[in-house]
Amino acid sequence: MGSEEAPLLLSAPGVEGCPGCSMDRRKASSKGRIPYKELFFVGITTLASSLPITCLFPFMYSMVRDFYIAKTEEDIGFYAGFLAASYMVGRAITATFWGILADRIGRKPVITFSILSVVIFNTLFGLSATYWMAITTRFVLGALNGLLAPIKAYCIEVCQIEHQALGLSLVNTAWALGLIVGPALGGFLAQPTEKYPHIFSEDSVFGRFPYLLPCLSVSAVAAVVLISCTWLPETIHKHTVPEKGTKIVKAFSAEEGCWNSPRRKSLLQNWPWMSTMLPYCFFSLHDTAYSEILSLWAVSDRKYGGLNFSTKDIGEVLAMAGASLLVYQLIIYRWVHKMLGTVNSSRVASAVSIVVLATYPFMTYLSGVKLSFALYSAAMMKSALATTIITGICLLQNNAVCQEQRGTANGISTTAMSFFKSIAPVGAGALFSWAQKRQDATFLPDDQVVFVVLNLVQLLGLIFTFEPFLVLPALPE
């Protein structure tokens, strides 16, 4: 019976004036077409949201030191961890609210407001005169930036099934671009009066606020993206379905296979979706802790087991990693996903990631070109592997729920993920500070213990991608 109804129903006009029906008609009439316009919006909005996070990495260490909050050099990592975590704490508190709101009023209003919050509060962060002002502005920015949940839902809703992996991977591609632009802005534009004294005077506003320039640059990018949100098409259905129109909506929802499906039940009863939460949280915890450790470890002194890099050097490393990730996402990832599948690609990437991370402690024995090559190569591989893992888990999450629950589901997963990400910088900073105080330990001295703990977290995430912990969602009928 469904096969007899489908041709008639797919050509039905739907509800006039409903943006969700309009998007469904566009998808039904363009089988096989990649929605370049919609995915372009996904890319630039995700980029604008990621820059305030990635921009901080190169100058986080020196910013804490400038605030004189750390009494010793070893304590800087501890306080830097709280600074990095404040954004994630704010996001963890409000992410579910933004996801529910995106299901109620639409994806576009939440996305637009999130970008506006970046423009305002990222600028205020650059004007921070004290450590506590920096913590507060980062916390508020994280609380008001509710973009991640609706943008993931949006990716799924503008793409046909065969392009959903591409859509979600574009979120990570934009993050990769953020890893190029953000650290470059942070590394090259922070403390401009010291780096470019012939351009910026000590008496200027940039002399008083040495980290304002990169923040202003990020806010300028976000302002341009905010204007472009005017043309962002909505995807959510804004109408009630009368009895006579039920078959039309069934036809439009058939692609997702969720009409009268168990996936329409409470999210807490949806075990395929629930089972993805643990690996998602552990992998997110690992990625954030890794980013924190990499920046602190690279710029710390050689006598503490670090590499003695400058903020400019670590900015270049992160930019190179981001550039390679951009190439990987646009060219290679689709083939990896096609060959290995969603789950196996995540498992293989996680296992290889453990091997790559195990090489980091041995880089302290290198110097010059060999050190640079080793760190660049490892950082590039690590970024590509991490995005393969997270994209696969996100694809499982979004295919396990229906559209009317997708914003809420992504909001809840973002809350859980952000909670783990807020723990990660604090834990990583404390672990790093503790490791620097045990240089002469017999078992895993100095920073070796840091990378062992990171690999244990990655191993836990890998274990939770296997049965009975992970339950795969049923295929659409």
Side-chain angles (χ1 to χ4, degrees), residues 318-339:
L318 294 175
M320 286 288 291
S324 67
L325 182 54
L326 185 62
V327 173
Y328 172 79
Q329 283 288 341
L330 294 176
I331 300 176
I332 304 174
Y333 173 73
R334 281 182 289 176
W335 299 104
V336 172
H337 182 268
K338 185 177 181 180
M339 288 187 296

Side-chain angles (χ1 to χ4, degrees), residues 34-343:
I34 298 176
Y36 291 105
K37 175 184 173 183
E38 290 80 5
L39 293 183
F40 172 75
F41 281 119
V42 168
I44 60 173
T45 51
T46 305
L47 173 63
S49 181
S50 69
L51 287 179
I53 304 173
T54 60
C55 182
L56 174 66
F57 292 156
F59 61 79
M60 178 170 52
Y61 191 90
S62 58
M63 190 178 198
V64 173
R65 184 173 53 199
D66 289 351
F67 284 138
Y68 303 106
I69 190 71
K71 295 180 180 179
T72 64
E73 192 78 9
E74 293 91 337
D75 291 331
I76 291 179
F78 178 75
Y79 287 98
F82 278 99
L83 179 60
S86 58
Y87 178 93
M88 294 300 170
V89 171
R91 191 169 74 177
I93 293 173
T94 62
T96 300
F97 165 77
W98 292 118
I100 294 172
L101 193 64
D103 281 340
R104 297 285 180 85
I105 67 173
R107 318 301 187 203
K108 181 175 179 177
V110 176
I111 292 172
T112 303
F113 180 82
S114 298
I115 300 300
L116 176 62
S117 70
V118 171
V119 175
I120 297 172
F121 287 96
N122 188 64
T123 303
L124 291 176
F125 173 70
L127 292 169
S128 297
T130 66
Y131 177 76
W132 297 111
M133 180 178 177
I135 287 275
T136 301
T137 52
R138 292 280 295 177
F139 171 81
V140 175
L141 175 57
L144 296 182
N145 188 353
L147 180 127
L148 194 56
I151 206 68
K152 287 181 181 178
Y154 189 86
C155 286
I156 295 295
E157 291 158 6
V158 299
C159 292
Q160 301 284 353
I161 290 179
E162 61 268 26
H163 299 311
Q164 287 177 356
L166 173 63
L168 278 176
S169 71
L170 190 63
V171 175
N172 291 320
T173 302
W175 174 260
L177 188 57
L179 283 175
I180 301 173
V181 179
L185 290 174
F188 288 100
L189 299 183
Q191 301 168 311
T193 57
E194 297 179 13
K195 296 174 181 174
Y196 316 106
H198 57 291
I199 300 177
F200 300 97
S201 168
E202 285 284 352
D203 298 327
S204 67
V205 66
F206 299 111
R208 183 181 177 187
F209 302 104
Y211 307 102
L212 175 60
L213 186 58
C215 292
L216 275 179
S217 302
V218 170
S219 296
V221 172
V224 174
V225 173
L226 179 63
I227 296 172
S228 72
C229 285
T230 306
W231 296 278
L232 184 72
E234 182 58 79
T235 60
I236 199 166
H237 289 274
K238 294 185 177 181
H239 60 84
T240 56
V241 184
E243 184 64 29
K244 64 180 181 180
T246 299
K247 291 184 178 180
I248 295 176
V249 178
K250 278 187 179 181
F252 282 141
S253 301
E255 185 177 299
E256 298 182 54
C258 63
W259 188 263
N260 292 330
S261 165
R263 288 183 287 177
R264 293 178 60 86
K265 294 181 180 180
S266 167
L267 288 173
L268 298 180
Q269 296 176 325
N270 186 337
W271 183 240
W273 177 76
M274 288 288 291
S275 67
T276 63
M277 296 293 282
L278 278 175
Y280 185 53
C281 288
F282 275 107
F283 287 133
S284 298
L285 171 68
H286 175 273
D287 291 346
T288 305
Y290 164 77
S291 297
E292 172 86 2
I293 291 295
L294 178 62
S295 298
L296 295 173
W297 172 67
V299 300
S300 62
D301 197 273
R302 283 271 186 176
K303 66 180 180 180
Y304 294 113
L307 302 181
N308 201 29
F309 276 28
S310 66
T311 56
K312 182 179 178 180
D313 293 332
I314 189 61
E316 290 176 353
V317 171
L318 294 175
M320 286 288 291
S324 67
L325 182 54
L326 185 62
V327 173
Y328 172 79
Q329 283 288 341
L330 294 176
I331 300 176
I332 304 174
Y333 173 73
R334 281 182 289 176
W335 299 104
V336 172
H337 182 268
K338 185 177 181 180
M339 288 187 296
L340 297 178
T342 302
V343 180

